[in-house]
């Protein structure tokens, strides 16, 4: 079987030489000199390449950011989800409720533990519809895994209420939501565990893969320390068979430097989103922006609109040198991977309708005001000409 990776580049393809507004700009990294100097001073001098002091520092700073007692660095956001499920003994025979419109890793993490992902439709904020959760709870349900899609937290107060009533665990997929808040309370601090990703496309990015689990539970924390490191209690004693999912020291060095500028990254994304919101609210016949709640701080991992004639708009913007994306063109319940779960088209109407019109505009922290204006102007032009 040939595995194709070019899909990452092909959607609404813009020639490199013509690009005026990139979807992301990974060539621009914050604090590069400081990171390289830390690598020389800390990494190469200590010769400690996995875990070590930089990981411990990052974990304690990250726990503080999320207002949780503990944070455990792991290999990726996906591993953060898998290990959190494993730490809660969730696996074969269990069901975990989640959203069908996430990145595939959410359902994938549930499935690889042996548990069954059970999907619930989403609301007009692209998040799991809390009103529909209870209908999907069965005697096998062990947990709810809400996703804070786009960096907008799901309705955690409601979800925690439902979970408490039915005695279910909540694991937040906060991979897109570092620094997001509901009533001042951070994403990743509501459930028994929160999972974060530091993939290069995420708001707080490292130079490869990295992830974190947050929790207030000492028991879970101690289990996760073992789960990420072969079940090793010390050098030679193994409590139970487990994984190698340590966070690299090098990535923690990068993360510690990026954490110093996270507020600036978040503020720039919020400012860009606000400019889009203001301009696009004049185009309500063509473009729908999700509701924005006053008590919520969204961090705009992505800026997603519902657009009339989405595919034509995407191609038009590509012609103007503007990169856009669709997150995601095929909902998880309709993926080949989900076939054994028995879902069909029509099962999640809100998600499926959104899938046909969602478009992600560039919102990253390196955009200039002129670039944001250029995107807005071209969306306006497209609908005028249409
Ligand atoms: C990125 C992401 C993940 C997976 O994170 P990785 O670090 O790439 O493994 C999981 N869930 C969501 C919602 C994500 O956006």
């Amino acid at each position: 079987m040939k595995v194709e990776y070019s899909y990452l580049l092909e959607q609404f393809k813009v020639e490199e030489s013509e690009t005026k507004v990139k979807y992301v700009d990974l060539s621009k990294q914050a604090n590069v000199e400081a990171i390289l100097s830390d690598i020389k001073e800390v990494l190469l001098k200590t010769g400690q390449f996995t875990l070590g002091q930089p990981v411990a520092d990052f974990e304690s700073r990250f726990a503080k950011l999320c207002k949780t007692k503990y944070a455990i660095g792991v290999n990726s956001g996906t591993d953060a989800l898998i290990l959190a499920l494993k730490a809660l003994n969730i696996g074969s025979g269990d069901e975990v409720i989640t959203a069908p419109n996430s990145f595939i890793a959410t359902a994938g993490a549930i499935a690889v533990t042996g548990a069954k992902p059970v999907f619930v439709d989403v609301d007009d904020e692209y998040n799991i519809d809390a009103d529909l959760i209870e209908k999907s709870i069965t005697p096998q349900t062990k947990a709810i895994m809400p996703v804070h899609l786009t960096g907008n937290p799901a309705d955690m107060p409601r979800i925690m209420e439902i979970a408490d009533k039915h005695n279910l665990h909540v694991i937040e997929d906060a991979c897109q939501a570092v620094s997001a808040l509901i009533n001042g309370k951070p994403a990743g601090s509501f459930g028994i565990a929160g999972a974060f990703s530091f993939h290069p496309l995420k708001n707080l990015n490292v130079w490869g893969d990295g992830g974190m689990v947050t929790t207030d539970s000492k028991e879970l924390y101690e289990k996760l320390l073992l789960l990420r490191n072969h079940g090793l209690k010390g050098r030679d004693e193994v409590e139970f068979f487990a994984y190698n999912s340590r966070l690299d020291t090098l990535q923690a060095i990068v993360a510690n430097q990026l954490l110093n500028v996270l507020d600036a990254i978040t503020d720039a994304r919020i400012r860009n989103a606000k400019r889009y919101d203001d301009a696009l609210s004049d185009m309500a016949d063509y473009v729908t922006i999700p509701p924005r709640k006053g008590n919520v701080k969204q961090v705009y991992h992505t800026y997603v609109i519902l657009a009339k004639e989405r595919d034509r708009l995407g191609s038009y913007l590509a012609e103007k040198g503007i990169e856009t994306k669709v997150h995601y063109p095929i909902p998880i319940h309709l993926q080949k991977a989900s076939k054994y779960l028995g879902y069909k088209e029509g099962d999640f109407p809100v998600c499926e309708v959104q899938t046909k019109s969602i478009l992600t505009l560039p919102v990253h922290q390196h955009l200039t005001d002129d670039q944001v204006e250029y995107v807005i102007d071209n969306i306006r032009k497209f609908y005028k000409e249409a």
Side-chain angles (χ1 to χ4, degrees):
M1 188 178 71
K2 193 163 157 280
V3 180
E4 192 59 69
Y5 290 105
S6 58
Y7 68 88
L8 290 167
L9 308 167
E10 269 171 8
Q11 229 170 27
F12 304 132
K13 189 162 171 43
V14 177
E15 293 302 328
E16 191 67 20
S17 60
E18 296 166 5
T19 316
K20 295 189 179 72
V21 187
K22 285 191 175 189
Y23 176 71
V24 286
D25 195 350
L26 291 177
S27 68
K28 292 198 178 104
Q29 294 285 312
N31 292 353
V32 172
E33 290 310 317
I35 290 168
L36 293 175
S37 146
D38 286 353
I39 289 172
K40 273 190 195 151
E41 286 305 308
V42 183
L43 192 73
L44 296 176
K45 276 196 183 150
T46 61
Q48 186 154 34
F49 290 89
T50 63
L51 301 176
Q53 196 56 45
V55 171
D57 291 344
F58 180 44
E59 288 172 338
S60 80
R61 293 177 69 194
F62 200 82
K64 203 175 229 174
L65 175 75
C66 295
K67 296 187 185 162
T68 56
K69 287 204 183 106
Y70 309 100
I72 305 95
V74 295
N75 224 323
S76 67
T78 307
D79 274 8
L81 292 168
I82 294 171
L83 297 189
L85 288 161
K86 283 276 176 191
L88 293 163
N89 294 316
I90 292 170
S92 182
D94 299 331
E95 294 179 0
V96 179
I97 290 173
T98 191
N101 65 342
S102 183
F103 178 52
I104 195 73
T106 314
I110 296 167
V112 299
T113 67
K116 181 180 167 191
V118 172
F119 298 114
V120 163
D121 209 351
V122 297
D123 59 19
D124 56 0
E125 296 183 44
Y126 319 125
N127 278 329
I128 193 166
D129 188 337
D131 288 335
L132 303 178
I133 290 176
E134 280 193 293
K135 265 199 332 212
S136 299
I137 295 173
T138 74
Q140 284 71 48
T141 309
K142 287 283 155 32
I144 307 171
M145 187 180 279
V147 182
H148 306 315
L149 207 69
T150 76
N152 173 35
D155 188 351
M156 291 315 297
R158 276 288 310 285
I159 292 168
M160 291 313 297
E161 214 176 275
I162 295 165
D164 288 346
K165 183 172 150 198
H166 296 272
N167 207 11
L168 303 174
H169 295 301
V170 174
I171 301 160
E172 294 171 70
D173 183 340
C175 285
Q176 303 193 355
V178 64
S179 279
L181 305 169
I182 303 175
N183 298 323
K185 187 170 164 59
S189 73
F190 289 87
I192 180 81
F196 291 86
S197 166
F198 310 118
H199 179 275
L201 292 178
K202 300 291 154 68
N203 290 21
L204 171 57
N205 80 278
V206 297
W207 292 357
D209 281 307
M212 190 76 84
V213 185
T214 50
T215 185
D216 277 332
S217 159
K218 184 157 189 273
E219 192 190 333
L220 209 62
Y221 167 69
E222 287 174 348
K223 189 124 186 237
L224 284 161
L225 291 179
L226 296 172
L227 274 166
R228 76 169 174 190
N229 193 26
H230 307 290
L232 278 165
K233 215 172 79 181
R235 193 181 175 284
D236 300 310
E237 279 177 78
V238 174
E239 289 279 300
F240 50 80
F241 293 118
Y243 300 84
N244 173 1
S245 183
R246 298 178 295 250
L247 181 62
D248 290 343
T249 316
L250 181 127
Q251 304 304 355
I253 287 172
V254 177
N256 276 318
Q257 284 293 345
L258 265 289
L259 206 47
N260 295 336
V261 292
L262 181 62
D263 284 347
I265 292 171
T266 307
D267 290 349
R269 286 172 173 266
I270 291 173
R271 201 181 58 238
N272 293 337
K274 180 88 177 52
R275 292 176 62 118
Y276 282 135
D277 274 4
D278 289 347
L280 296 177
S281 55
D282 292 342
M283 292 178 236
D285 288 346
Y286 306 105
V287 171
T288 307
I289 52 177
R292 310 292 186 199
K293 292 197 194 106
N295 64 333
V296 165
K297 181 182 183 186
Q298 301 193 34
V299 296
Y300 299 98
H301 167 61
T302 51
Y303 185 92
V304 180
I305 58 172
L306 303 177
K308 270 196 181 157
E309 301 198 61
R310 187 264 319 273
D311 290 345
R312 278 190 51 222
L313 174 62
S315 304
Y316 180 89
L317 295 176
E319 277 166 32
K320 306 292 176 184
I322 299 163
E323 285 179 341
T324 60
K325 305 270 173 201
V326 176
H327 294 103
Y328 299 91
I330 307 171
I332 304 176
H333 68 286
L334 300 178
Q335 292 282 355
K336 184 179 170 198
S338 296
K339 205 153 184 191
Y340 75 104
L341 295 170
Y343 290 107
K344 58 182 188 315
E345 214 169 323
D347 282 343
F348 305 109
V350 178
C351 162
E352 290 170 27
V353 167
Q354 286 174 356
T355 297
K356 296 189 173 85
S357 66
I358 43 175
L359 186 70
T360 308
L361 305 179
V363 74
H364 64 82
Q365 65 270 22
H366 305 296
L367 291 175
T368 63
D369 288 352
D370 285 348
Q371 286 178 311
V372 175
E373 216 48 52
Y374 180 74
V375 177
I376 292 166
D377 284 348
N378 278 292
I379 296 173
R380 198 174 277 129
K381 264 190 212 149
F382 171 77
Y383 286 117
K384 246 186 210 148
E385 287 167 17

